[in-house]
Amino acid sequence: MNTNATISTNNNNNMNTTGLNPTANGLLQAISGGGLSALEVVAASGDAFLPLKAAVVEALAVIGIIKQFKINKKDWAALSGSLIQKVEEIVQATCQYNESYVPSALQSNLENLKGILDHLKEDVIKIQQQNTWKRFANFRKDQEHIADFQVKLNALPNFQDHLSVEESSQASKSNVKRDVWEGPVMTEPNKDDMFIERRNVGERPTTTENIPQINVLTQGHHFQINDSIFYSANTININDNRELEAKIANVVEQSNVEKWLQELKAPSHGKVRDKCMPGTREDVLTHIKTWLYDLNEPNIFWLSGSPGSGKTTIASTVVADFHCFSGQFFFRRDEVELQDPDNLWRRIALDLALGYKDVRMSIAQVLEAQKANIRGFDISMQFEHLIAKPLQEVFTTSVEPLLIVVDALDECGSYEKLLPSLTSWSYLPKSLKLLITSRRYSDIQFSLSSVSVHCDLHTGHEISTQTSDDLQKYFIARFSEVTRLPPKWPGPAKVSLLVRKAAGLFIWAKSAMDFILHKGGDPEERLNIISAGSGEGIDAVDGLYHQVISVALQGLRKPEETALRLVLGSIVVAKNPLRTGDLKELLGVKDALLDSIMSQLSPVLSISDVNYLRVCHQSVTDFLLNSERSQDLWVDHELCSLRFAGYCLKFMNGKLKFNFFDLKTSYVLNKDIPELNDHIKSVKSTALDHASCFWASYLKKDCDKMLQLEVQAAVDEFLMVHCLHWLEIMSLMGTVNHAAQLLLLAASWSRDLKPNISDFANDANRFVMEFLEPITDAAPHIYLSALPFSPQSSKISMHFLRLFKKTFTVKMGQMEHWSGKCFLRLADHGSGVASVAFSSDGRHIVSGSDDKTIRVWDAQTGQSVIDPLKGHDSSVTSVAFSPDGRHIVSGSDDKTIRVWDAQTGQSVRDPLKGHNFSVRSVAFSPDGRHIVSGSTDKTVRVWDAQTGQSVIDPLKGHDSSITSVAFSPDGRHIVSGSDDITARVWDAQTGQSVMDPIVHDHCVTSVAFSPDGRHIVSGSIDMTVRVWDAQTVAFSADSRHIVSGSTDKTVRVWDVQTVAFSSDGRHIVSGSDDMTVRVWNTCQIVFSPGGRHIVSGSRDKTIRVWDAQTVAFSPDGRHIVSGSDDKTIRVWDAQTGQSVIDPVKGHDSNVTSVAFSPDGRHIVSGSRDKTVRVWDAHTGHSVIDPLKGYGDWVNSVAFSPDGRHVVSGYSRKTVRVWDVQTGESVIDPVKGHDDCVTSVAFSPDGRHIVSGCRDKTVGVWDSQTSQRVVDLLKGHDDWVNSVAFSPDGRHIVSGSGDKTVRVWDAKTGQSAIDPLKGHNDWVTSVAFSPDGKYIVSGSYDQTVRVWDAQTSQSVKDPLNGDGDWVNSLAFSSDGKHVASVSRDKTVRVLDPETSQTIMNPFTVSHLSTPSISSIPVSPILSIHSQGGNNISMSRSYKTSFCDCYDISLLKFCHLDGNWIMLPDDTYLLWIPDPNKSGLF
């Protein structure tokens, strides 16, 4: 409320006539803040109108009682708010009047209010006096009370009565003339308002005789009572009711406009730099001014020049001095907001809205229509809707210029994204002018040169006479400003020398003068230093910067010099500007030293008004980061970044603690914490802000090894001690998803230095992604909800849960493993995700959505790579990358196909048109030259990807919609699937059908070729996936899985035979020969090229990225041992497939290799946890301590023939031999390989060891001396994955990634027979039959082959029993059976004679894919069970987050989403989806 804008009068009688109270200013000012405090002021005031005061006191009493209620607190608080608002309205209206002249309508309302409040007070007292248990049991009864009370409040009479025409007519009859102060309602003056006369204080209005006058109170806080709006503090005269209605409507409209403009969330402009010195740059400024008023010139002016040539100073002068200036944006590379291209047009839109009423209304309408989701627009759409359309509507015929200034375009982080919209400005009316400044980059020049007036600020030898004169004026003016210098010093010669050295670079001139005239320095000595430097232009700039920093270093002790370099390097590499206080906290630099450093470096640094430090110009950063230019002052970006990461981590390790923000309760969400932002600011410094958000971004690999180890130690402490404390910070800051990405960066960085920490960081990422909702919503529930529900075997649970012993425990339904291995959640689409695809290099993901957009993501970090690709007019149904990753093709329900540049997001040609209905599927040919599309119009079309022309006639033959299309790997054929229940194969050159249709029992939803082109897979609504001979769905690039998409909003990933839909159509359950059952609910899934990751798109508007091994027979052939990624070893009955003992647990990471001892009594296992373990085969107990001889992964293990020793192969090129009894290493490590050892085995006599290696060689070693027996066996062209001796020890067999099996003479190392060829992919495992006559091999091609060891011929057809990669295999002791384990976690037993599977496959583990667990999922809390609760919680449970409560109160709880809510609607616990069933 503007209490200074009150009615002024010199006539008390006149005031009494109006009834307004001239003494009320004090009370009005006191209650101007509104709300509860205003009511308290009235209750305590001695000047308040007594009936009003009585009503207010009664209201406060009711509010005080309501505050004490613990049940339904939110609803009672809402009622209190409504009551406060209602009473405050009457207070505001009543306090305008003298007690004697309070309108009768208001007095009546006060009496009614008093009566209502009396009854309300009695009712709430009765409720308060109820027994607490009774209230818990009947807490929903409160809703009825509250609703009843609200009705009574709404029953108050209309407060508009006091504005009746009758009272105003009395004022008219008295013919009183009043002095009026009137101010504008909106922030900006409303020049076009025809309803109100604008008058100054003391100006008397002309009285209109016999016309009713209405006094409307304006310029203050407005409030609404029923349908009337009041403004307190000022009055204006309006002649009749129609004017009143129009004015009120206008005020409401303007208020609505202001509300929507706030949704632009526009950033600041960026600080405008100093103007040009008077009398300088007049030629350029005149050129700009001439262009500005010339409507025949292009409406874009491009001012280009070298760094430091004065572009920004000129732009600042235009902003300050040109009257037609209307908007500005100054880019800065060192500020996140001011380098973001997404911010430009939103800021310009706000500038225009503040300057032009009609533009403001137009932009507000756009925002309202989009429900303020303007951030969902890409840059071109922002320009079109916020800039182009509003300006074209308002300024179509205008001849007065309007000027927008965009400075330093080259400092925009991705300026290329802005070029299309900037060039589109040229289509606007010529009076709408755009001034752009930038460096002379070729792509900017290419875009702007044809649509702009171009002016280049020449430097070096091309400098103009005017520029030289301007520089001379600048130097003379700067010297003359210093009174301590001799008159006319340093003279014309020295000034001319400085002008030559500057060579048109004003940044050099400024920095040189700042250096020469530095306070405390000798100007003459410093001038001589500058003059002595050689070179001009950019060379002079380099020389100047070198001199300035070198002088700052002179005389410093070594620690001080180190500190200066540290400060300067940190400022240069910082992701966001740092404050001086941040540097003190993060770097530990003392105040005095930091102040001295800032002073010495002032010529190249600048400090903002709020103490943000940055280099004064981008050219300084360019100089420091270029080792050739900066020489001994070089800032090594990698080294400085890593060092700064260490400081960030050290700072956080010293600051972070449990419950960092001292939150008092866990019952409320972050957003509901009172005064949260103020509390956060009081606890958390900006230094902690910066460290928390960027620490992992500074981790760099290729630099000082000692520093890497030092920083790694800090990472260790941070993750192992403070990881959850840090998540508290990220939760309260609302950046939890960013936290997950930082953990991935840390995991990647630590992978080589410390794999166990890398694994921990990955596990922490999984923790965050699994519990993203509770961690984001409420920081305390990191400990209360997320941690207890984490898998007990997870690293995060095993490490941290033991520290919180008083939290609840899950008795039943504990998840065994992280669900689905989702490590990224991409959630910027505005509607369901219909299609996803990886780029060929696996680095990027493209997604298409029903929101009509395509988005491109970084597959590692989840960051959006470019702006959304917009152009389709309807849902995007299918997307794909070109084979080279440079282009993206998309199909849409708008009947078109579009091709996009994957780097810029721009459409590379006009839409491909020809289909008559929706395009359902698109794909590139393998060479990228053609595109195939399938449509609801029943046709398949082939297009030239370069020209967009159709290359053959439409392929016709289907009788219904085409659902899926794909090229064969050689590009010669196309397969199509259709709703007509068939799949067809076509010749891609002629368009002719090449085979009979493949027929399903229902609609075919997806089709694809296998990578070798030999098979076609088709998926159908008939619940089957079928594989067909193609010499007659997509295969993953590694052939491990089949993926299919469906019109029912689901996606299917298969290694299965049958499928079935859930009743709601949202899920598919699939059953497989591998004895697993899996449930899927995603919309589109594809594999990365390496097969290591899966990306899925869903109708929940998200994209998620997911992480996408060994067997041996016992000597008697009765049992099979298997090792798995779930860290367990399992022993199976070879006849029945049943597990004979509980899973053997002890390893902390993947089990990579297992073997039985010769007597069958023991099992040896190797793991990525760097240990070898020996187990009792009958009990599963460990028989000796883990063998920990080397700090790296164990890839292979084997027993010696006598069972006394174990050999193990490691990832770090070595082989070790262990004594099984003592656990001691019996010989020195075997060394000689150049890469990871993948497989090891003893010879039958135990005298030799054979090893296979990724260096493509096989080694044979003496098991007693570790010496090499023969030279390394060379012949393979890829990794050697598996090796074995023949039973007589005379031969060695090896399998390799080059798809071959080789047999070697063990004594000579020569190849014994020709390579065994037949596999189509990596050979992963090999073994001899017990009689030595046969060799068996397993491969990633999903087959097992049996070979004649003498002739190298395949003796049987491939054994195709494996539905996935074959990872490991073994012969039974009698040679009658072969056991294989696949990557789909199943073990199969095959008969090598018949090529048949002799028993059903059995599952090795329950790990990795979203599946129905082997243990039924139970809710954690069974409210209706008589056997007690499934939550086990100590009654002494009490932390600083959550108060102790009686467990029996849980019967009054209810479920809201995933939250268990207490009766008062506060938050008790978040539970995962699988645990919700049967809870309430």
Side-chain angles (χ1 to χ4, degrees):
M1 180 181 296
N2 185 351
T3 54
N4 294 321
T6 58
I7 294 178
S8 173
T9 182
N10 295 320
N11 189 324
N12 290 336
N13 292 329
N14 288 347
M15 180 58 70
N16 291 338
T17 302
T18 64
L20 294 176
N21 184 4
T23 65
N25 289 347
L27 184 57
L28 283 172
Q29 185 171 5
I31 65 173
S32 61
L36 184 62
S37 59
L39 304 190
E40 291 171 343
V41 168
V42 173
S45 172
D47 298 329
F49 185 46
L50 290 180
L52 173 66
K53 184 173 180 177
V56 169
V57 169
E58 202 73 10
L60 290 174
V62 173
I63 293 166
I65 297 171
I66 289 176
K67 275 188 176 181
Q68 300 176 36
F69 290 169
K70 301 299 183 183
I71 310 300
N72 285 311
K73 291 175 67 174
K74 287 185 178 179
D75 293 322
W76 282 112
L79 178 67
S80 285
S82 180
L83 175 59
I84 291 169
Q85 179 185 6
K86 188 69 69 173
V87 177
E88 183 190 358
E89 291 169 358
I90 303 178
V91 168
Q92 295 279 4
T94 307
C95 286
Q96 305 291 329
Y97 293 90
N98 187 293
E99 287 189 28
S100 303
Y101 290 92
V102 173
S104 58
L106 273 178
Q107 294 187 43
S108 175
N109 286 338
L110 289 174
E111 293 170 2
N112 290 336
L113 178 62
K114 180 68 165 56
I116 289 174
L117 293 175
D118 285 340
H119 290 295
L120 182 57
K121 182 178 178 182
E122 292 175 7
D123 290 337
V124 295
I125 289 174
K126 290 178 182 178
I127 295 172
Q128 183 190 36
Q129 292 173 345
Q130 285 182 352
N131 179 277
T132 302
W133 282 102
K134 183 178 179 181
R135 292 209 56 222
F136 273 128
N138 298 281
F139 72 97
R140 288 184 174 85
K141 188 71 173 176
D142 284 0
Q143 305 292 334
E144 299 175 12
H145 292 310
I146 293 168
D148 180 57
F149 297 151
Q150 190 66 59
V151 169
K152 292 178 180 178
L153 285 180
N154 293 339
L156 283 170
N158 195 327
F159 281 58
Q160 191 178 0
D161 289 349
H162 81 288
L163 291 176
S164 65
V165 176
E166 178 183 353
E167 292 189 32
S168 298
S169 297
Q170 290 179 345
S172 174
K173 290 176 183 178
S174 63
N175 197 22
V176 175
K177 295 182 181 180
R178 292 184 292 267
D179 295 328
V180 178
W181 172 292
E182 181 180 346
V185 173
M186 305 303 293
T187 304
E188 295 293 318
N190 187 346
K191 299 176 182 178
D192 302 322
D193 194 336
M194 302 304 295
F195 292 107
I196 305 173
E197 297 180 46
R198 303 290 178 177
R199 293 185 291 278
N200 295 323
V201 174
E203 180 182 348
R204 297 187 177 277
T206 303
T207 302
T208 304
E209 297 291 342
N210 300 321
I211 297 178
Q213 299 287 307
I214 300 174
N215 299 320
V216 180
L217 306 175
T218 65
Q219 187 63 24
H221 293 292
H222 70 275
F223 51 84
Q224 185 165 349
I225 303 174
N226 295 333
D227 295 316
S228 302
I229 294 185
F230 287 65
Y231 281 78
S232 56
N234 297 324
T235 68
I236 56 178
N237 289 344
I238 298 178
N239 289 332
D240 57 37
N241 285 331
R242 285 172 298 176
E243 286 193 31
L244 172 61
E245 292 172 359
K247 180 57 189 173
I248 290 175
N250 182 61
V251 169
V252 171
E253 182 180 38
Q254 294 300 324
S255 177
N256 189 53
V257 167
E258 293 293 326
K259 179 189 74 173
W260 286 113
L261 289 179
Q262 290 175 6
E263 295 299 327
L264 280 171
K265 295 181 173 60
S268 63
H269 295 102
K271 185 178 180 181
V272 179
R273 309 283 183 86
D274 293 336
K275 295 167 48 179
C276 299
M277 192 181 76
T280 63
R281 310 315 303 248
E282 290 183 344
D283 55 338
V284 180
L285 293 172
T286 300
H287 190 180
I288 294 173
K289 187 168 290 187
T290 301
W291 158 80
L292 184 62
Y293 289 97
D294 189 343
L295 299 186
N296 295 317
E297 291 274 20
N299 61 355
I300 300 175
F301 192 105
W302 177 36
L303 180 65
S304 65
S306 301
S309 56
K311 302 183 296 295
T312 296
T313 307
I314 292 171
S316 300
T317 304
V318 170
V319 168
D321 294 351
F322 283 34
H323 298 300
C324 56
F325 162 74
S326 298
Q328 61 174 317
F329 198 93
F330 282 63
F331 283 105
R332 287 200 66 119
R333 194 169 297 170
D334 56 359
E335 286 192 43
V336 173
E337 273 199 336
L338 299 182
Q339 64 170 295
D340 186 352
D342 189 56
N343 286 338
L344 172 63
W345 296 124
R346 290 186 294 108
R347 178 65 252 184
I348 298 299
L350 184 59
D351 284 347
L352 292 169
L354 293 176
Y356 301 93
K357 177 183 176 182
D358 292 338
V359 174
R360 176 165 68 243
M361 299 295 293
S362 180
I363 293 174
Q365 289 169 4
V366 170
L367 292 167
E368 186 170 7
Q370 295 296 323
K371 300 193 184 307
N373 188 29
I374 201 68
R375 296 301 295 266
F377 280 179
D378 65 8
I379 289 173
S380 296
M381 294 291 281
Q382 286 186 31
F383 174 76
E384 179 183 350
H385 288 281
L386 298 179
I387 306 296
K389 287 183 178 179
L391 290 181
Q392 286 171 330
E393 291 173 1
V394 176
F395 294 98
T396 303
T397 59
S398 174
V399 295
E400 290 296 320
L402 173 154
L403 176 62
I404 302 296
V405 176
V406 177
D407 178 62
L409 176 62
D410 53 280
E411 293 196 33
C412 169
S414 301
Y415 66 80
E416 65 277 1
K417 296 180 181 180
L418 287 170
L419 293 176
S421 58
L422 289 170
T423 55
S424 294
W425 187 281
S426 62
Y427 298 110
L428 297 179
K430 290 296 183 68
S431 62
L432 306 178
K433 302 285 189 170
L434 175 64
L435 169 64
I436 303 171
T437 76
S438 77
R439 299 187 189 186
R440 288 188 299 268
Y441 287 167
S442 59
D443 50 354
I444 297 178
Q445 182 171 354
F446 178 80
S447 296
L448 297 182
S449 58
S450 62
V451 296
S452 69
V453 172
H454 182 206
C455 174
D456 189 72
L457 301 177
H458 296 296
T459 56
H461 299 298
E462 298 178 351
I463 182 175
S464 67
T465 302
Q466 180 66 54
T467 300
S468 295
D469 292 343
D470 291 342
L471 283 166
Q472 184 176 28
K473 291 176 185 177
Y474 175 78
F475 285 123
I476 293 173
R478 286 292 304 273
F479 282 124
S480 65
E481 290 173 358
V482 184
T483 57
R484 56 191 170 93
L485 296 177
K488 298 184 180 181
W489 185 85
K494 284 289 186 182
V495 169
S496 296
L497 176 62
L498 293 175
V499 170
R500 287 198 304 275
K501 283 187 168 294
L505 296 177
F506 282 80
I507 187 61
W508 186 94
K510 180 182 182 304
S511 298
M513 292 306 299
D514 289 345
F515 176 72
I516 294 168
L517 302 179
H518 179 68
K519 186 177 181 181
D522 183 340
E524 187 169 356
E525 179 183 348
R526 290 181 171 235
L527 177 59
N528 291 334
I529 292 173
I530 296 293
S531 301
S534 60
E536 298 176 356
I538 193 65
D539 292 333
V541 169
D542 288 355
L544 172 62
Y545 292 156
H546 200 283
Q547 290 163 347
V548 168
I549 300 172
S550 296
V551 168
L553 291 169
Q554 287 177 3
L556 296 181
R557 295 180 298 109
K558 189 64 177 177
E560 294 171 336
E561 179 183 341
T562 301
L564 185 145
R565 291 179 181 271
L566 175 62
V567 169
L568 187 59
S570 299
I571 293 172
V572 169
V573 302
K575 300 291 183 182
N576 249 1
L578 296 162
R579 286 189 168 112
T580 52
D582 299 339
L583 290 171
K584 293 173 186 176
E585 287 193 75
L586 292 172
L587 305 181
V589 181
K590 295 181 179 178
D591 289 3
L593 178 58
L594 184 60
D595 292 342
S596 174
I597 291 172
M598 295 301 99
S599 175
Q600 292 293 328
L601 294 176
S602 60
V604 293
L605 293 182
S606 65
I607 304 178
S608 72
D609 296 337
V610 288
N611 288 324
Y612 278 116
L613 281 164
R614 51 171 62 88
V615 292
C616 66
H617 194 269
Q618 184 59 34
S619 60
V620 179
T621 301
D622 296 342
F623 164 76
L624 289 170
L625 293 178
N626 189 313
S627 59
E628 294 182 0
R629 293 170 60 187
S630 54
Q631 300 175 1
D632 59 318
L633 301 178
W634 177 46
V635 171
D636 183 337
H637 191 277
E638 302 287 298
L639 185 67
C640 287
S641 290
L642 183 59
R643 183 178 290 121
F644 194 54
Y647 279 106
C648 289
L649 288 161
K650 181 180 178 182
F651 176 70
M652 289 192 293
N653 287 339
K655 286 284 186 183
L656 295 179
K657 61 179 182 178
F658 174 74
N659 194 12
F660 183 84
F661 292 102
D662 192 29
L663 302 180
K664 303 303 182 184
T665 177
S666 64
Y667 293 152
V668 298
L669 302 185
N670 293 345
K671 64 183 180 65
D672 296 324
I673 297 174
E675 301 176 354
L676 175 63
N677 290 334
D678 291 339
H679 179 62
I680 290 176
K681 289 179 182 178
S682 67
V683 175
K684 177 175 59 64
S685 65
T686 55
L688 185 57
D689 251 355
H690 192 98
S692 297
C693 287
F694 297 112
W695 63 273
S697 305
Y698 294 123
L699 296 172
K700 305 295 180 183
K701 287 186 178 181
D702 300 326
C703 47
D704 185 83
K705 294 299 180 184
M706 289 301 295
L707 179 60
Q708 285 191 58
L709 292 174
E710 181 182 333
V711 174
Q712 181 67 68
V715 171
D716 294 1
E717 180 182 353
F718 175 75
L719 291 175
M720 305 303 289
V721 179
H722 299 294
C723 183
L724 301 187
H725 305 157
W726 168 65
L727 287 178
E728 292 182 39
I729 304 287
M730 304 303 277
S731 173
L732 270 298
M733 290 171 61
T735 53
V736 177
N737 206 40
H738 180 60
Q741 295 163 12
L742 293 177
L743 288 167
L744 286 179
L745 291 175
S748 175
W749 182 80
S750 300
R751 187 170 297 125
D752 295 330
L753 283 170
K754 211 160 185 181
N756 65 317
I757 292 298
S758 176
D759 291 344
F760 189 89
N762 275 319
D763 196 71
N765 164 268
R766 299 288 304 285
F767 172 76
V768 172
M769 295 309 299
E770 190 80 44
F771 300 106
L772 191 66
E773 180 184 346
I775 295 175
T776 299
D777 286 351
H781 286 270
I782 295 168
Y783 310 97
L784 296 177
S785 295
L787 194 57
F789 278 109
S790 300
Q792 292 179 352
S793 60
S794 67
K795 290 176 171 56
I796 206 89
S797 176
M798 290 190 294
H799 185 71
F800 285 116
L801 190 58
R802 58 188 172 83
L803 303 176
F804 301 92
K805 295 180 180 179
K806 291 185 178 181
T807 190
F808 75 88
T809 57
V810 181
K811 282 188 174 181
M812 298 178 63
Q814 180 84 47
M815 67 174 73
E816 294 185 13
H817 309 289
W818 296 120
S819 62
K821 293 190 175 181
C822 176
F823 62 86
L824 278 179
R825 180 175 178 269
L826 318 176
D828 281 347
H829 275 298
S831 190
V833 179
S835 180
V836 288
F838 271 101
S839 60
S840 56
D841 60 7
R843 294 173 58 193
H844 296 109
I845 295 165
V846 62
S847 60
S849 170
D850 289 341
D851 66 6
K852 309 177 188 178
T853 70
I854 298 108
R855 290 178 180 263
V856 184
W857 317 82
D858 186 295
Q860 293 300 313
T861 67
Q863 298 293 320
S864 182
V865 176
I866 55 177
D867 281 337
L869 283 55
K870 295 194 176 184
H872 283 298
D873 296 325
S874 190
S875 299
V876 178
T877 57
S878 183
V879 290
F881 273 102
S882 61
D884 61 8
R886 295 174 57 192
H887 296 103
I888 293 165
V889 62
S890 61
S892 169
D893 282 342
D894 66 7
K895 311 176 189 177
T896 69
I897 297 108
R898 287 180 176 263
V899 183
W900 314 81
D901 187 299
Q903 302 298 316
T904 67
Q906 300 303 308
S907 182
V908 297
R909 63 187 54 82
D910 291 337
L912 282 56
K913 298 181 180 180
H915 284 297
N916 298 321
F917 294 103
S918 300
V919 177
R920 300 275 294 277
S921 182
V922 291
F924 273 101
S925 61
D927 60 8
R929 296 172 56 191
H930 296 105
I931 294 166
V932 62
S933 61
S935 168
T936 307
D937 65 9
K938 309 177 187 179
T939 68
V940 176
R941 289 179 177 262
V942 184
W943 314 80
D944 187 299
Q946 298 297 318
T947 66
Q949 299 300 309
S950 183
V951 296
I952 57 176
D953 291 336
L955 314 185
K956 298 180 180 180
H958 284 294
D959 297 325
S960 190
S961 300
I962 311 295
T963 57
S964 182
V965 290
F967 273 99
S968 61
D970 59 9
R972 296 172 55 194
H973 296 102
I974 294 166
V975 62
S976 60
S978 169
D979 285 343
D980 67 4
I981 75 172
T982 70
R984 290 176 177 264
V985 182
W986 314 81
D987 186 299
Q989 302 297 318
T990 67
Q992 298 300 307
S993 180
V994 298
M995 58 181 285
D996 291 336
I998 298 167
V999 181
H1000 274 272
D1001 296 329
H1002 212 302
C1003 302
V1004 176
T1005 55
S1006 185
V1007 291
F1009 280 93
S1010 61
D1012 61 5
R1014 296 171 56 194
H1015 298 96
I1016 294 169
V1017 63
S1018 58
S1020 168
I1021 294 179
D1022 63 13
M1023 307 182 208
T1024 66
V1025 175
R1026 306 187 185 190
V1027 182
W1028 314 83
D1029 192 317
Q1031 300 185 35
T1032 56
V1033 164
F1035 272 94
S1036 62
D1038 50 27
S1039 301
R1040 293 169 53 206
H1041 294 81
I1042 300 165
V1043 60
S1044 59
S1046 168
T1047 55
D1048 64 356
K1049 310 179 183 177
T1050 65
V1051 175
R1052 317 173 192 185
V1053 180
W1054 314 96
D1055 52 2
V1056 299
Q1057 299 298 319
T1058 61
V1059 294
F1061 286 92
S1062 63
S1063 58
D1064 61 5
R1066 295 174 57 196
H1067 300 88
I1068 295 177
V1069 62
S1070 59
S1072 168
D1073 284 347
D1074 64 6
M1075 299 182 70
T1076 63
V1077 178
R1078 309 184 183 189
V1079 181
W1080 312 89
N1081 65 351
T1082 51
C1083 180
Q1084 173 84 354
I1085 299 178
V1086 293
F1087 282 78
S1088 66
R1092 295 178 56 197
H1093 300 121
I1094 299 169
V1095 61
S1096 67
S1098 171
R1099 293 298 181 191
D1100 64 4
K1101 310 179 187 178
T1102 67
I1103 298 103
R1104 297 172 187 256
V1105 186
W1106 317 76
D1107 275 332
Q1109 166 115 38
T1110 174
V1111 290
F1113 268 103
S1114 63
D1116 61 9
R1118 293 172 57 192
H1119 296 103
I1120 297 169
V1121 62
S1122 62
S1124 171
D1125 288 351
D1126 66 359
K1127 312 174 191 176
T1128 68
I1129 298 103
R1130 296 175 185 248
V1131 182
W1132 315 86
D1133 188 298
Q1135 298 300 315
T1136 67
Q1138 298 299 308
S1139 180
V1140 296
I1141 60 174
D1142 290 336
V1144 179
K1145 297 181 179 180
H1147 282 296
D1148 295 324
S1149 189
N1150 309 36
V1151 178
T1152 55
S1153 182
V1154 290
F1156 272 103
S1157 61
D1159 61 6
R1161 295 172 56 194
H1162 296 104
I1163 295 166
V1164 64
S1165 60
S1167 168
R1168 287 189 177 183
D1169 66 5
K1170 308 177 186 177
T1171 68
V1172 175
R1173 292 176 179 261
V1174 182
W1175 316 85
D1176 187 300
H1178 299 293
T1179 66
H1181 295 152
S1182 180
V1183 296
I1184 58 172
D1185 291 335
L1187 312 181
K1188 300 179 180 179
Y1190 202 75
D1192 209 352
W1193 294 352
V1194 181
N1195 291 321
S1196 182
V1197 290
F1199 270 103
S1200 62
D1202 61 5
R1204 296 173 55 191
H1205 298 104
V1206 168
V1207 63
S1208 55
Y1210 291 86
S1211 292
R1212 290 191 179 176
K1213 313 176 187 179
T1214 65
V1215 176
R1216 282 183 175 264
V1217 181
W1218 310 85
D1219 187 298
V1220 174
Q1221 299 298 318
T1222 65
E1224 299 296 326
S1225 179
V1226 297
I1227 58 173
D1228 291 335
V1230 177
K1231 298 181 179 179
H1233 283 298
D1234 295 328
D1235 206 337
C1236 170
V1237 177
T1238 58
S1239 181
V1240 290
F1242 273 100
S1243 62
D1245 60 8
R1247 295 174 55 191
H1248 297 117
I1249 295 167
V1250 63
S1251 59
C1253 182
R1254 289 186 181 179
D1255 63 9
K1256 310 176 186 177
T1257 68
V1258 177
V1260 185
W1261 320 87
D1262 189 299
S1263 63
Q1264 304 297 317
T1265 65
S1266 75
Q1267 297 302 305
R1268 183 186 297 157
V1269 176
V1270 295
D1271 289 338
L1272 294 176
L1273 314 186
K1274 299 181 179 179
H1276 283 297
D1277 296 324
D1278 206 333
W1279 295 357
V1280 177
N1281 297 316
S1282 180
V1283 291
F1285 272 101
S1286 62
D1288 60 8
R1290 296 173 55 192
H1291 293 102
I1292 294 166
V1293 63
S1294 60
S1296 167
D1298 63 9
K1299 309 177 186 177
T1300 69
V1301 178
R1302 287 180 175 263
V1303 182
W1304 314 84
D1305 186 296
K1307 289 187 178 180
T1308 67
Q1310 299 301 308
S1311 183
I1313 56 176
D1314 290 336
L1316 283 58
K1317 298 181 179 180
H1319 284 295
N1320 297 318
D1321 209 331
W1322 277 24
V1323 177
T1324 56
S1325 186
V1326 292
F1328 272 97
S1329 62
D1331 60 7
K1333 295 172 59 178
Y1334 300 103
I1335 294 168
V1336 65
S1337 59
S1339 169
Y1340 280 0
D1341 66 8
Q1342 306 179 13
T1343 68
V1344 176
R1345 288 179 175 264
V1346 183
W1347 313 83
D1348 187 303
Q1350 302 300 316
T1351 66
S1352 75
Q1353 298 300 308
S1354 179
V1355 296
K1356 298 288 180 185
D1357 289 335
L1359 313 182
N1360 294 306
D1362 285 278
D1364 206 336
W1365 292 2
V1366 179
N1367 281 338
S1368 180
L1369 48 77
F1371 263 103
S1372 61
S1373 56
D1374 60 6
K1376 293 182 178 181
H1377 302 125
V1378 174
S1380 68
V1381 65
S1382 306
R1383 199 176 68 166
D1384 61 4
K1385 310 298 185 298
T1386 59
V1387 175
R1388 290 173 169 82
V1389 182
L1390 308 167
D1391 186 330
E1393 292 294 325
T1394 66
S1395 301
Q1396 299 298 311
T1397 300
I1398 63 172
M1399 60 175 289
N1400 289 329
F1402 47 91
T1403 305
V1404 175
S1405 71
H1406 305 287
L1407 181 69
S1408 78
T1409 52
S1411 64
I1412 295 177
S1413 172
S1414 59
I1415 301 173
V1417 176
S1418 301
I1420 59 159
L1421 178 64
S1422 179
I1423 294 299
H1424 304 294
S1425 66
Q1426 297 181 0
N1429 294 318
N1430 288 331
I1431 285 186
S1432 174
M1433 190 178 298
S1434 169
R1435 283 184 176 269
S1436 63
Y1437 169 60
K1438 189 166 186 172
T1439 71
S1440 59
F1441 276 142
C1442 187
D1443 296 330
C1444 179
Y1445 56 87
D1446 193 316
I1447 200 73
S1448 57
L1449 285 182
L1450 292 175
K1451 69 178 66 175
F1452 300 111
C1453 294
H1454 61 284
L1455 202 60
D1456 183 1
N1458 289 79
W1459 287 98
I1460 296 179
M1461 308 294 292
L1462 286 170
D1464 60 351
D1465 284 337
T1466 55
Y1467 296 81
L1468 172 64
L1469 193 68
W1470 184 95
I1471 58 173
D1473 284 328
N1475 299 105
K1476 289 164 56 176
S1477 177
L1479 252 177
F1480 296 99

